[in-house]
Amino acid sequence: MAINIGIVGLPNVGKSTLFNALSAAGAESANFPFCTIEPNVGVVPVPDGRLDQLAKIFESEKIIPTSLEFVDIAGLVKGASQGEGLGNQFLGNIRECNAIAHVVRCFDDDNIVHVDGSVDPLRDIAVIETELCLADLSSVEKRILRTAKIAKSGDKEARADMEVLELVSAHLNEVQPLRFLDLAVEQRLRLRDMHLLTDKPVMYLANVSEDDAGEPDANPYVQQLKGAVPAAPVICMSAAIEAEISQLENEEQKDYLESLGLSESGLDKVIREGYKLLDLITYLTSGPKETRAWTVKRGSSAPEAAGVIHTDFERGFIKAEVIQYEDLVSLGSETAVKAAGKLRIEGKEYTVIDGDVMHFRFNV
């Protein structure tokens, strides 16, 4: 499964510049509002050094990493839910994303126009949250109109749906994101097909200047942002630096980052926090043809992990051969792992852990 992250923010906060740098997809960016007209989609490989090691051991012909997908839409402005600007036209393009990355401008530059005339992270995130809440409210109100008619006929499921929808409507009317609403698992499942935006986990990308990239916590705008969203991850990065990095080869990237006193790129930070935010792990498969990474939810069973490769694998699951990555690397070969008794045969109840090297047995 690819991780899908929708990028939101006001116009001119660096959304498309970051998208260009993170995905190298070449989205247009310019110093005026609404430059992004069509939603842009970029898919990038997720770096994983374990793949190279396994490919050497199994002499694989190719390496296939898992991927991260970014969806960038036009900047949202105040009143977007009522048709202002262009961003609201494209909110549907991020409804099925797994998470949202909210880009917030945290630098001063008189040469780059701010849609509201000044830099204010707290005001900016409030504008975006309000528009997302109003967009969700519109969807919920439409669903209420349809569901109410069915509920009046005595349909029990429709009545149960109405109870949840009314709770959600009241919450959104207070301009409160749904991720802060305490709902039972069964109640939240009734909303699943609506793909409500404010029910998605959020990370904040603080776009800082090149000068602040090495010590972003000293930036007062970053301090304000972190204080306003204490429970959410805040990733500090410079769109200008990320743009430079995206033009360099791997070894040059490392040297460039070191010269700036940075240990990793913004993309690496986003990937790490994305996995953490969505509670995802990676398992691996390897053989002469290919070495490949697969993404699953933490807590997935062996059959569920097999189903990520192909639904037939899950339906016909028999057993899984499992080797810990560390054992395979330290012993040097699958033969040595077997001889040391480190290869395990696991059944349907096995819970996959990050770094498992797996081979599935199944009936067609």
Side-chain angles (χ1 to χ4, degrees):
M1 58 180 289
I3 309 171
N4 308 96
I5 297 179
I7 303 177
V8 302
L10 293 171
N12 278 15
V13 296
K15 276 189 331 85
S16 292
T17 302
L18 275 174
F19 173 82
N20 285 347
L22 296 177
S23 68
E28 184 182 8
S29 60
N31 183 22
F32 56 90
F34 314 131
C35 175
T36 304
I37 304 301
E38 295 297 331
N40 295 293
V41 178
V43 180
V44 294
V46 174
D48 191 332
R50 297 174 296 191
L51 294 173
D52 294 323
Q53 292 291 328
L54 290 179
K56 289 178 183 177
I57 292 171
F58 286 92
E59 298 181 348
S60 305
E61 293 177 10
K62 58 183 177 180
I63 294 174
I64 305 176
T66 189
S67 60
L68 175 67
E69 182 176 284
F70 292 106
V71 182
D72 178 34
I73 63 170
L76 298 170
V77 294
K78 189 174 182 179
S81 55
Q82 280 79 47
E84 291 293 325
L86 296 172
N88 193 53
Q89 298 175 30
F90 305 112
L91 284 175
N93 294 96
I94 61 171
R95 284 203 178 277
E96 294 192 23
C97 288
N98 304 112
I100 287 177
H102 183 165
V103 181
V104 184
R105 179 169 165 176
C106 292
F107 66 91
D108 291 307
D109 188 333
D110 293 338
N111 295 315
I112 299 178
V113 178
H114 190 290
V115 71
D116 287 321
S118 62
V119 177
D120 185 339
L122 303 191
R123 178 201 60 212
D124 293 355
I125 63 173
V127 168
I128 299 298
E129 286 284 16
T130 298
E131 296 309 318
L132 296 181
C133 283
L134 292 174
D136 278 351
L137 182 60
S138 176
S139 297
V140 170
E141 288 176 340
K142 289 174 184 175
R143 178 64 65 90
I144 286 175
L145 287 174
R146 295 200 304 270
T147 308
K149 295 176 182 178
I150 304 171
K152 285 179 181 177
S153 70
D155 186 285
K156 290 183 179 179
E157 287 299 310
R159 286 181 175 179
D161 286 343
M162 279 298 294
E163 287 183 13
V164 178
L165 289 168
E166 287 170 351
L167 281 172
V168 167
S169 176
H171 188 77
L172 290 170
N173 264 305
E174 296 295 323
V175 197
Q176 292 296 317
L178 287 182
R179 60 185 174 273
F180 300 137
L181 178 60
D182 187 16
L183 292 174
V185 174
E186 192 275 336
Q187 290 177 308
R188 208 167 281 278
L189 285 174
R190 293 181 179 277
L191 303 170
R192 184 168 53 182
D193 69 324
M194 297 185 71
H195 304 291
L196 296 170
L197 296 164
T198 63
D199 202 25
K200 300 179 187 299
V202 176
M203 66 173 75
Y204 293 86
L205 308 186
N207 185 12
V208 301
S209 68
E210 294 178 69
D211 292 339
D212 286 345
E215 296 183 3
D217 286 339
N219 180 315
Y221 295 135
V222 171
Q223 293 172 8
Q224 290 174 20
L225 178 59
K226 288 187 173 182
V229 292
V234 175
I235 302 170
C236 298
M237 55 205 300
S238 165
I241 289 174
E242 296 302 318
E244 290 286 339
I245 292 171
S246 69
Q247 304 300 314
L248 303 174
E249 298 297 328
N250 287 342
E251 286 305 315
E252 293 176 319
Q253 287 182 9
K254 293 177 183 177
D255 293 339
Y256 181 57
L257 286 168
E258 287 177 3
S259 72
L260 297 172
L262 301 174
S263 59
E264 59 182 343
S265 70
L267 175 58
D268 289 338
K269 294 178 186 177
V270 170
I271 290 171
R272 187 179 66 250
E273 288 300 332
Y275 268 70
K276 192 184 301 182
L277 193 65
L278 295 167
D279 206 18
L280 300 172
I281 60 170
T282 302
Y283 79 87
L284 311 159
T285 57
S286 193
K289 288 188 177 181
E290 66 179 36
T291 290
R292 186 163 184 164
W294 305 89
T295 302
V296 294
K297 290 283 289 184
R298 189 180 305 279
S300 294
S301 66
E304 289 171 334
V308 173
I309 298 176
H310 198 288
T311 52
D312 286 348
F313 284 25
E314 183 172 4
R315 281 196 297 265
F317 179 88
I318 300 173
K319 297 288 182 182
E321 297 177 7
V322 183
I323 303 172
Q324 287 188 324
Y325 168 78
E326 292 78 8
D327 290 337
L328 192 50
V329 171
S330 63
L331 293 171
S333 72
E334 189 174 24
T335 301
V337 168
K338 290 178 179 177
K342 296 289 187 178
L343 184 148
R344 308 190 313 275
I345 305 298
E346 302 286 0
K348 293 182 178 180
E349 303 304 315
Y350 177 69
T351 300
V352 178
I353 62 174
D354 188 71
D356 275 348
V357 182
M358 307 185 76
H359 175 75
F360 298 105
R361 302 177 188 174
F362 64 98
N363 287 318
V364 179

